[in-house]
Amino acid sequence: MSTPGRVLVPFGLFGLFMLAVTVLFGYLAVRDGRQASAAARALLSLRTTAGECVSHLDGDRYSFAFETPAGRRIVFEAPAVGVHAGDPVRVRYDPADPQGSARFGARDDWHAVQRDGVRAAAFLLVSASFALLLIWALIVLRWES
């Protein structure tokens, strides 16, 4: 028969470690989930429209143009690869600030949302696993003492 002191001291350190890991990974899951959610909301508020590559400036910098529904022509610069002057392109922009928010390459924008969402799910799985292990250890060690 073990004495309560022998069971509680090792379990105390083990329990604190398990609790700390559970809280840490829970925090990381919430943080990445919020980032994915914020990025998704931002992308959903953007408009996608047809634009045109106007000219090659230098290196990988190009000038692009598109027209807003109100008929305003917006010209902006952005890095790009594999485009030439006159090529049609897809452009994303915020209707409240088309000039300041315009960007080329609308198809890869969801990568950050997917990355943060997958990381949030993985952190949540680890946190839940450690929480279940901690609960299991509490029950088993309590019954043994």
Side-chain angles (χ1 to χ4, degrees):
M1 180 171 174
S2 62
T3 62
R6 287 187 184 177
V7 173
L8 291 179
V9 171
F11 179 74
L13 296 175
F14 174 75
L16 286 176
F17 170 74
M18 297 301 284
L19 183 61
V21 170
T22 300
V23 169
L24 172 67
F25 279 98
Y27 164 76
L28 293 173
V30 169
R31 184 198 65 185
D32 284 355
R34 284 185 172 185
Q35 287 175 350
S37 177
R41 278 193 309 275
L43 282 174
L44 291 173
S45 71
L46 298 180
R47 283 210 175 129
T48 302
T49 188
E52 174 186 15
C53 178
V54 177
S55 65
H56 177 237
L57 301 172
D58 62 9
D60 67 345
R61 303 284 305 169
Y62 288 82
S63 177
F64 299 96
F66 68 98
E67 194 170 302
T68 66
R72 183 173 162 210
R73 182 173 168 85
I74 305 293
V75 179
F76 67 98
E77 296 178 12
V81 176
V83 294
H84 304 287
D87 286 352
V89 296
R90 302 299 294 166
V91 176
R92 275 194 193 263
Y93 70 97
D94 181 355
D97 181 22
Q99 183 68 49
S101 65
R103 59 184 183 221
F104 163 75
R107 63 186 163 162
D108 294 329
D109 289 341
W110 287 96
H111 175 71
V113 175
Q114 293 169 347
R115 181 195 62 227
D116 289 342
V118 167
R119 268 198 333 228
F123 288 145
L124 183 61
L125 181 64
V126 171
S127 179
S129 298
F130 274 97
L132 288 173
L133 185 60
L134 178 62
I135 291 168
W136 174 81
L138 279 170
I139 292 170
V140 168
L141 292 177
R142 178 77 54 173
W143 283 343
E144 287 180 0
S145 60

